[in-house]
Amino acid sequence: MSGRERILGRVRRALADLPPDERAYEEAVARDYLREHGGRTAEQVVELLAENLVDYRAVVHRTDTGGLPDLIARLLAARGAGRVLVPPGLPSGWLAADGPTRVDDRAMSTARELDRVDSVVTGCAVAVAETGTLVLDGSPDQGRRRITLIPDHHICVVRVPDQVVASVPQALARLVPTRPLTWISGPSATSDIELDRVEGVHGPRTLEVVLVSGDRPAPGYPPRASRTAHRVEPVSPSP
């Protein structure tokens, strides 16, 4: 018998004597806490997200739906990226045809192979303004969790205001708990005992977040699911 089976067996025995009318956990636990702090407009929530992302040392860019492909191309060029990792459902219109070599997310790819990739581009499931957090849930436009942990440069696209919520409780209401959720608050960083900050140990050293505004989804963007940095840079049109 494995350790997992022993623990589950103990849980089942502990619950065996509960009366059949026992309230479910979801009903028994009070949920009357605040869902968000303060009453902000959608625009204010987006501004709070941008502010907290920058505070976490992410680089925030803004564009509209039409300017997204050009912006991503410029970010990859500025990085000198020759190979970019793409999840299977990344919208086809996000990356220029004459851009860096695309590397598909494959189950058989090793960590060493992924480490040779220069950048990764993904969408997100939801963004939390109060904590400056991006949540990925493994959807086709986000890919496997590992593709956003190994490459050193991550470009994450967020639709605003549709994918932005004020608080963590609001984010949880949009997420499916059985999916592989990755919560990202800025570039990977850690500190040693002397409080010297080191970035890039447990994930990308550089996180660039693109806030995309517009009434229509970005080119090729999949429909929204039913349940579901050191500066802020406005983007000027290309010459």
Side-chain angles (χ1 to χ4, degrees), residues 61-64 67 70-71 74 210 233-238:
H61 306 271
R62 299 175 189 264
T63 187
D64 56 19
D70 181 62
L71 172 59
R74 282 185 279 151
V210 180
E233 299 184 353
V235 177
S236 57
S238 298

Side-chain angles (χ1 to χ4, degrees), residues 27-225:
E27 300 174 0
V29 177
R31 304 284 182 179
D32 54 356
Y33 46 76
L34 289 176
R35 308 297 293 180
E36 64 176 303
H37 299 89
R40 300 182 180 88
T41 65
E43 292 75 13
Q44 290 172 329
V45 171
V46 172
E47 291 304 318
L48 180 62
L49 171 66
E51 177 184 332
N52 285 331
L53 284 169
V54 170
D55 191 51
Y56 272 121
R57 300 192 183 185
V59 181
V60 178
H61 306 271
R62 299 175 189 264
T63 187
D64 56 19
T65 54
L68 178 60
D70 181 62
L71 172 59
I72 292 178
R74 282 185 279 151
L75 296 181
L76 293 173
R79 181 78 181 183
R83 305 173 77 233
V84 57
L85 187 60
V86 294
L90 191 77
S92 57
W94 285 14
L95 298 178
D98 57 351
T101 301
R102 304 187 190 192
V103 178
D104 294 328
D105 172 25
R106 302 178 303 165
M108 66 283 296
S109 296
T110 65
R112 186 180 297 275
E113 290 172 337
L114 294 177
D115 192 45
R116 289 198 290 264
V117 173
D118 299 305
S119 303
V120 58
V121 179
T122 73
C124 81
V126 66
V128 186
E130 290 182 353
T131 60
T133 302
L134 309 175
V135 186
L136 280 58
D137 67 358
S139 292
D141 64 326
Q142 298 153 50
R144 305 169 195 269
R145 175 179 292 166
R146 63 180 185 167
I147 72 171
T148 57
L149 296 178
I150 298 178
D152 204 40
H153 178 225
H154 180 193
I155 299 174
C156 186
V157 177
V158 182
R159 291 203 317 275
V160 300
D162 293 355
Q163 291 187 310
V164 183
V165 297
S167 65
V168 170
Q170 291 177 343
L172 291 174
R174 292 195 182 194
L175 298 167
V176 179
T178 55
R179 295 193 63 83
L181 303 178
T182 303
W183 298 66
I184 303 170
S185 297
S188 168
T190 189
S191 297
D192 61 18
I193 195 171
E194 296 180 352
L195 301 182
D196 291 328
R197 179 184 173 99
V198 180
E199 297 179 348
V201 176
H202 308 295
R205 195 187 319 266
T206 303
L207 173 64
E208 300 199 73
V209 182
V210 180
L211 304 181
V212 182
S213 61
D215 296 331
R216 58 185 174 85
Y221 206 101
R224 179 177 172 180

Side-chain angles (χ1 to χ4, degrees), residues 1-22:
M1 180 180 294
S2 67
R4 177 178 181 274
E5 291 170 334
R6 291 195 192 93
I7 293 173
L8 291 177
R10 292 171 185 170
V11 172
R12 294 189 186 99
R13 289 193 294 273
L15 299 176
D17 60 347
L18 289 178
D21 60 348
E22 183 76 19

